[in-house]
Amino acid sequence: MRKATLAVSAALFVLAVAYWLAADAIPASRLAGQVGADGLPKLLGLALGVLSLLLAGQTLFEMRRAAAAGGGDDQDKGEDRLPGSWREHLRALGLIGIGVGYLLVLPHLGYMVSAGLLLAAVATYAGLKPSPATLLFAAGGGILFYLIFVKILQIPLPAGFWPGLLR
Amino acid sequence: MDGLTYALTAVTTPSTVLAAAGGVLWGILGGALPGLSPSIAMALLLPFTFDMSPLAAIIMLTGVYIGAEYGGSIPAILIRTPGTNAAAATVIDGYTLHQQGRGGEALGLSLVAGTIAGLVGLICLVLLTAPLSALALYFKPPAYFALAFLGLSIIAALSEGSLVKGLIMGVIGLMVSTVGTDPLSGVTRFTFDEPDLLGGIDYIFVMLGVFAVAELMSKVAEKDGGDGGITKTVARVKLPSLQKLWELRRAQAIGTAVGIIEGPIPGAGGTVAAFLSYNETKRWSKTPEKFGKGSEEGVVAPEAANNAVTSSALIPTLSFGIPGSNSMAILLGGLLIHGIQPGPMLLSSRPDLVYGLFGGLFMSNIFMLIFGLLVLGPAIWLVNRPKPYLTAGIFMVVLSGIYVINQSLFDFWIVLAAGIIGYGMRLLKFPVLPLILGIVLGYMVESNYRRSLLLTNGEHRVFFENPLSLGLLICAGLIIGMAILSEIRRFRRSGVEVHG
Amino acid sequence: MKHHGIRGLLGAAAVAASLVAAPPVLADYPVQTVRLITHSSPGGGMDVFLRKIGQHLGPIMGVHFVVESVTGSGGAAAMAAVANGPKDGSVFYGSTPTHIITSLLSNPSVTYEEMEPVVNLFNDPQTVYVLTESPYQTLGDVVAAAKENPSSIVVSVSTPGSLDRQVMEEFQTLTDSSMIVLTHDGGGDAILSVLNGTAQVGVSEIAELRGQMEAGKVRIIATYTDERVPGIGDVPTAKEQGYDLVISKFRGIAGAKDLPPEVIAAWEEGVAKLMEDPEFRAWYEAEGLQNAYQTQAEAVAAREAFVTSLQAFFEKFDIN
């Protein structure tokens, strides 16, 4: 976990620099007042830079202290491990993947069908054995969500290519 | 005693009673759906009020507002998804209680605490409209800045374990809040020519990502489909006993008081009130160590606060005709469509309406208790479905609700990205609340800081000359100082343990 | 109760309205239902305005109007919905300066250039107001105070990109005075700043001030209009007071480019009649709106002039 934290502090430092540079590019307007539109952003960029260095320093300090206290400290080792395995994190990202897939098909297949597909995909992904019940859940869920959001709440969610078929 | 007569007429007229009941029920359902904020729930219902009498219309709209502010706590407790912005603070202890199998108790506490606070807020609205509306006038830019800064100082107190990590998340939250149009000059910042970013990043998207999506990710990550650590399923709602309520009186009082005071201040609103009261209750609690680990007080305080706000937020809207939040702007719109101009003259020109509304608010709070109980049963049934179905259903609700807000596919990407970041934050033990506070308060801090300096030609003295601002800044200083002290102590102690 | 949805209900209401006042007067309009799109949220100023148009213009033009609000992206989403919609006269945009300001300040995929004004209806007068007990009676008093003690006058305006902000910046240049222009998140907050004494002077539309005016809390000392505005007491215009500033905050209807001529003609004729409709007139005069009817040709010319002045302003103050 400490190694990961170090990596994150480095990433945050890069973010801070990038943000500061973007803030520096904000056009100065005469109407912005004593503190310009770039005032707070630059301060924030600076603050994040300092804080990311502090985090790195704190983590390094803890690593050294842990090493000094003896590498055989089991409890400390356990605490230091990142919770979960890489397999698990990949599984977690898979959910986002399904979400991205949903967003990509939504404009084409329309809300009702996309919703059904997403429900089936996530339910299967979360451990449901594919069965007629899955199909029923997807179809019923797609229709239910369609009724709630499109028919009752009148939210103009994408209809997809279906209306084009009727022309 | 005319006022009482008007109020009694309102509570005995079938059309107004129905308006209150319908409004509250719709509000609870809308508030419980993530993405449907109280203001959107009100806007969706607004056209239905055009044909009603003005009194029924305003009662229905306020009923939606009251119901929605409560409804947001239901998914906050049951699925770690704040249904409304103001329910974000409820997630922490509410969801933890649910994981401990005490979700039914948490739901009962939230409902009862909200009802009590709503009723107390109503009494204040009736008796203290004049002084509370004066409060809104006292708030000038320096005081607004100080209030927002006080809110930010809570970051220090809420950064469990690591002050540096908390501050980092707070700064990132503030960075998110700078996206969009500059509050003073009107130049655009960090929008990368993307029109969807022009209005900034709505914080409900970030909250849905870091709370709801991150939670779903953790659930699917576990091999068995994950049970989210919930050991026992909740059987039913459990209302708190009188004795329990008495034990929690401190949290209830702090939440209610903070909510009533924050309500009339334009721009502050339920979210800030919920966080402030959560922090204050923790500070004055006899068992502060339980906060974050399933504290009942941690549910009562924010829920009391955001329901107390629903009464007192009406004050500036009715007495100045100036809405302090999006919800109140829609209420104002509803009144204007009926040809009613809220403002200083409203009470003398339309006492029937003002007192009738008070009667309506009373009914709405009672209906909230009744419908709350009715809705919770099905809600609990829903979260007890097998995990794969539940996970799919929640993900779908989140992905549908997002679209309601701007009707733009762009917002989905923000939520998914926030989900990944939220998941990473959980792994590396970065606290979530500072991020939310930064986003919520960033705009208020920056715009009012710069307005203050504009007014004084760059003199910082003004923050200490304005008594309100000075008082709030001293409070903020105390919170930060105490947090730094405890951080130093923690660091020393951990060093002693390792070496000793 | 909520099982019909907004649009369905609005449609139904519009149908009902058009059935009640039956006789369609004008030549047949090519479509039955016309959608009026606004970027303002339900209950907002533009939403109410379009709804009133639908109510009174429906019978005149023999169509029914449905008001839709497409919020988000400072009006860019609503503009896109109109410009990308069918070009048969079935969808229009409730236009105000906002969509032009958004087009100029950001880079939306659809800008005002993809749209064309159809007709303009109103001018929303921008007024200068002070607290009732304020020592300032005229714009001259304000300028004198600002010259005597620079930065003693704080002017409360609404949002940074708004016209009321623009007019006060130009006012300083014109009078060679220096004031503090305090921007807010909206019109309501701006009025609060005057009420609590943070600002000495405010700029606002009449509708937003109405409640405070009736309570005798504020009074208007000038309007940035060509002629005096009825219904607010006999307030002289800025021009009469010797400051040649006229701001036109137009409210009108815009559509996609190159709409069929008969559609434009129907709107021009219909709105010309609408402006004389006694009920409609009573409503807009109570709202403090000025009749500023313009045909398409006039509205296009007015937009060109407006864009030019806006661009000049943004360049002068380095806003982009």
Side-chain angles (χ1 to χ4, degrees):
Chain A
M1 174 154 156
R2 282 177 188 143
K3 274 189 192 140
T5 309
L6 270 185
V8 167
S9 3
L12 286 173
F13 189 78
V14 173
L15 172 71
V17 174
Y19 183 85
W20 197 92
L21 290 176
D24 199 43
I26 294 173
S29 163
R30 267 171 53 199
L31 301 183
Q34 272 75 9
V35 180
D38 57 349
L40 178 76
K42 280 186 175 167
L43 181 71
L44 291 175
L46 192 68
L48 187 62
V50 171
L51 285 168
S52 62
L53 292 180
L54 262 176
L55 181 64
Q58 202 181 32
T59 315
L60 279 174
F61 179 71
E62 281 173 11
M63 279 165 106
R64 270 183 52 190
R65 201 163 61 181
D73 195 331
D74 285 344
Q75 197 190 345
D76 194 63
K77 273 258 169 72
E79 201 179 84
D80 191 38
R81 262 217 351 254
L82 208 58
S85 65
W86 281 109
R87 266 184 91 114
E88 283 182 26
H89 304 326
L90 278 179
R91 269 191 69 82
L93 282 175
L95 185 74
I96 299 294
I98 296 176
V100 170
Y102 165 78
L103 284 186
L104 294 179
V105 302
L106 179 61
H108 307 290
L109 295 185
Y111 179 64
M112 199 199 302
V113 178
S114 312
L117 288 176
L118 180 106
L119 287 171
V122 176
T124 315
Y125 193 66
L128 194 70
K129 299 266 181 308
S131 70
T134 319
L135 207 63
L136 198 70
F137 172 67
I143 293 170
L144 183 72
F145 273 100
Y146 177 79
L147 287 179
I148 292 175
F149 282 92
V150 180
K151 285 293 154 198
I152 298 177
L153 296 176
Q154 296 275 311
I155 310 301
L157 281 143
F161 68 86
W162 309 108
L165 294 180
L166 295 177
R167 287 216 179 122
Chain B
M1 281 285 52
D2 274 353
L4 194 60
T5 324
Y6 287 130
L8 280 176
T9 315
V11 294
T12 49
T13 309
S15 67
T16 44
V17 176
L18 267 176
V24 171
L25 183 60
W26 165 238
I28 295 179
L29 296 175
L33 268 180
L36 257 72
S37 60
S39 58
I40 291 176
M42 288 166 83
L44 286 171
L45 207 61
L46 185 63
F48 294 88
T49 64
F50 295 159
D51 299 331
M52 298 179 176
S53 74
L55 180 61
I58 182 179
I59 286 180
M60 183 170 225
L61 288 172
T62 47
V64 177
Y65 181 42
I66 289 173
E69 285 292 357
Y70 161 69
S73 73
I74 301 172
I77 291 169
L78 290 178
I79 56 177
R80 198 175 186 254
T81 304
T84 57
N85 294 333
T90 313
V91 170
I92 321 161
D93 283 287
Y95 187 69
T96 315
L97 280 170
H98 177 53
Q99 284 179 317
Q100 296 164 356
R102 296 171 64 200
E105 281 172 67
L107 289 168
L109 281 173
S110 150
L111 180 58
V112 173
T115 308
I116 295 174
L119 290 173
V120 175
L122 174 60
I123 294 170
C124 292
L125 174 65
V126 176
L127 299 179
L128 301 175
T129 294
L132 283 174
S133 65
L135 187 69
L137 281 183
Y138 278 121
F139 270 82
K140 297 184 175 184
Y144 267 120
F145 164 76
L147 177 68
F149 189 77
L150 174 65
L152 281 183
S153 71
I154 298 175
I155 288 177
L158 289 183
S159 308
E160 288 299 326
S162 169
L163 188 58
V164 175
K165 283 179 178 171
L167 289 176
I168 286 177
M169 290 331 292
V171 168
I172 291 178
L174 288 169
M175 285 177 164
V176 173
S177 81
T178 61
V179 174
T181 307
D182 173 51
L184 262 75
S185 68
V187 301
T188 54
R189 301 188 293 188
F190 310 108
T191 54
F192 309 106
D193 281 341
E194 179 59 64
D196 285 293
L197 286 175
L198 206 59
I201 295 175
D202 200 327
Y203 46 87
I204 186 79
F205 300 133
V206 180
M207 283 186 347
L208 285 176
V210 296
F211 283 123
V213 176
E215 172 73 13
L216 292 174
M217 287 171 76
S218 310
K219 270 190 185 163
V220 297
E222 291 157 40
K223 277 198 200 76
D224 55 354
D227 59 2
I230 299 168
T231 44
K232 289 167 275 182
T233 49
V234 210
R236 59 189 188 85
V237 191
K238 199 175 147 208
L239 287 182
S241 64
L242 281 176
Q243 191 196 346
K244 179 95 251 115
L245 285 177
W246 180 245
E247 283 168 22
L248 295 169
R249 64 189 182 278
R250 202 192 296 252
Q252 177 81 45
I254 292 175
T256 311
V258 171
I260 289 170
I261 293 170
E262 291 268 330
I265 302 169
T271 316
V272 181
F275 276 109
L276 267 180
S277 63
Y278 180 83
N279 188 57
E280 286 312 298
T281 305
K282 180 180 175 187
R283 186 137 51 115
W284 297 101
S285 169
K286 283 182 186 135
T287 52
E289 69 281 357
K290 276 168 79 181
F291 277 72
K293 301 185 180 74
S295 164
E296 289 160 336
E297 290 176 310
V299 173
V300 167
E303 282 306 307
N306 66 35
N307 274 96
V309 164
T310 58
S311 298
S312 58
L314 288 168
I315 289 171
T317 312
L318 295 177
S319 56
F320 302 124
I322 290 170
S325 62
N326 288 341
S327 316
M328 289 297 102
I330 287 169
L331 181 69
L332 189 66
L335 287 170
L336 291 175
I337 282 168
H338 282 285
I340 293 158
Q341 172 73 59
M345 305 303 283
L346 186 64
L347 187 59
S348 48
S349 64
R350 295 298 301 271
D352 56 323
L353 206 69
V354 177
Y355 289 105
L357 173 63
F358 292 163
L361 287 172
F362 177 76
M363 283 191 291
S364 295
N365 275 292
I366 302 301
F367 279 128
M368 181 180 111
L369 187 64
I370 298 169
F371 289 135
L373 282 173
L374 290 178
V375 166
L376 287 179
I380 290 175
W381 179 84
L382 271 179
V383 296
N384 282 336
R385 292 313 87 210
K387 290 300 177 289
Y389 293 120
L390 185 63
T391 309
I394 295 172
F395 201 39
M396 196 59 231
V397 168
V398 170
L399 288 181
S400 305
I402 298 165
Y403 198 74
V404 180
I405 297 168
N406 287 331
Q407 300 172 3
S408 148
L409 289 177
F410 183 82
D411 300 332
F412 287 86
W413 300 107
I414 296 180
V415 174
L416 292 181
I420 298 175
I421 293 169
Y423 184 76
M425 285 165 64
R426 286 180 133 197
L427 286 185
L428 296 171
K429 298 206 167 71
F430 278 88
V432 173
L433 291 181
L435 177 74
I436 305 293
L437 273 174
I439 302 177
V440 170
L441 294 169
Y443 182 84
M444 196 172 159
V445 164
E446 185 190 9
S447 59
N448 287 297
Y449 176 71
R450 286 168 58 190
R451 275 175 202 146
S452 305
L453 291 189
L454 190 65
L455 289 172
T456 59
N457 242 325
E459 291 281 351
H460 281 82
R461 268 208 326 262
V462 63
F463 296 111
F464 305 102
E465 283 169 0
N466 179 315
L468 250 180
S469 153
L470 181 65
L472 291 166
L473 285 177
I474 290 176
C475 293
L478 286 175
I479 291 179
I480 295 173
M482 279 163 64
I484 291 177
L485 268 180
S486 77
E487 174 78 3
I488 292 174
R489 237 178 268 145
R490 190 191 67 87
F491 203 70
R492 275 211 192 120
R493 204 181 309 136
S494 73
V496 171
E497 273 165 19
V498 171
H499 288 294
Chain C
M1 38 128 248
K2 61 217 166 266
H3 297 273
H4 307 285
I6 297 182
R7 268 143 222 145
L9 186 98
L10 286 181
V15 171
S18 61
L19 286 180
V20 173
V25 199
L26 296 173
D28 285 342
Y29 194 77
V31 293
Q32 292 276 306
T33 305
V34 175
R35 292 153 65 217
L36 299 176
I37 293 182
T38 171
H39 58 260
S40 116
S41 49
M46 222 33 208
D47 181 60
V48 175
F49 161 73
L50 291 179
R51 200 158 278 144
K52 287 282 174 191
I53 291 185
Q55 196 181 335
H56 295 278
L57 191 60
I60 295 177
M61 285 175 62
V63 292
H64 39 87
F65 289 101
V66 180
V67 180
E68 271 179 38
S69 77
V70 179
T71 54
S73 314
M79 280 193 276
V82 175
N84 301 332
K87 302 194 184 348
D88 56 357
S90 63
V91 52
F92 292 93
Y93 178 64
S95 71
T96 64
T98 308
H99 79 287
I100 295 179
I101 294 172
T102 302
S103 300
L104 292 179
L105 282 183
S106 67
N107 236 343
S109 53
V110 173
T111 69
Y112 72 91
E113 288 172 345
E114 263 80 16
M115 305 180 47
E116 204 154 49
V118 176
V119 285
N120 275 349
L121 284 86
F122 300 120
N123 176 34
D124 212 344
Q126 301 289 301
T127 66
V128 183
Y129 64 97
V130 294
L131 283 179
T132 309
E133 61 268 24
S134 157
Y136 309 122
Q137 301 294 333
T138 63
L139 283 180
D141 295 347
V142 176
V143 173
K147 284 201 167 159
E148 193 177 312
N149 181 4
S151 74
S152 67
I153 298 285
V154 176
V155 187
S156 175
V157 298
S158 62
T159 52
S162 64
L163 281 183
D164 37 336
R165 199 266 175 85
Q166 187 185 339
V167 70
M168 283 324 289
E169 300 291 351
E170 282 176 2
F171 184 75
Q172 293 178 59
T173 319
L174 190 74
T175 58
D176 194 25
S177 61
S178 160
M179 305 173 189
I180 293 170
V181 179
L182 191 64
T183 56
H184 294 80
D185 305 337
D189 298 353
I191 296 173
L192 211 53
S193 274
V194 174
L195 290 178
N196 73 14
T198 305
Q200 285 75 41
V201 181
V203 181
S204 169
E205 286 144 31
I206 293 169
E208 285 185 300
L209 277 183
R210 190 65 78 180
Q212 302 299 330
M213 263 165 56
E214 279 168 7
K217 300 256 182 196
V218 301
R219 64 189 152 81
I220 295 177
I221 58 170
T223 60
Y224 290 117
T225 51
D226 267 320
E227 287 158 27
R228 293 193 179 192
V229 181
I232 54 168
D234 211 15
V235 179
T237 64
K239 225 173 170 178
E240 285 176 61
Q241 300 185 29
Y243 306 99
D244 191 12
L245 265 182
V246 174
I247 280 289
S248 105
K249 184 164 184 188
F250 60 85
R251 285 201 198 182
I253 299 291
K257 260 185 169 173
D258 304 323
L259 291 176
E262 66 266 23
V263 167
I264 304 290
W267 271 94
E268 287 180 342
E269 208 177 323
V271 171
K273 282 196 175 168
L274 173 71
M275 300 306 287
E276 302 311 320
D277 180 292
E279 243 182 88
F280 189 66
R281 198 186 178 106
W283 169 74
Y284 72 72
E285 283 182 352
E287 282 280 297
L289 295 169
Q290 285 183 309
N291 180 342
Y293 172 74
Q294 285 179 318
T295 60
Q296 185 182 43
E298 291 164 341
V300 170
R303 188 178 76 172
E304 291 310 313
F306 181 75
V307 168
T308 311
S309 77
L310 205 59
Q311 274 170 335
F313 172 76
F314 287 146
E315 258 163 49
K316 189 163 150 197
F317 292 99
D318 302 314
I319 300 172
N320 50 38

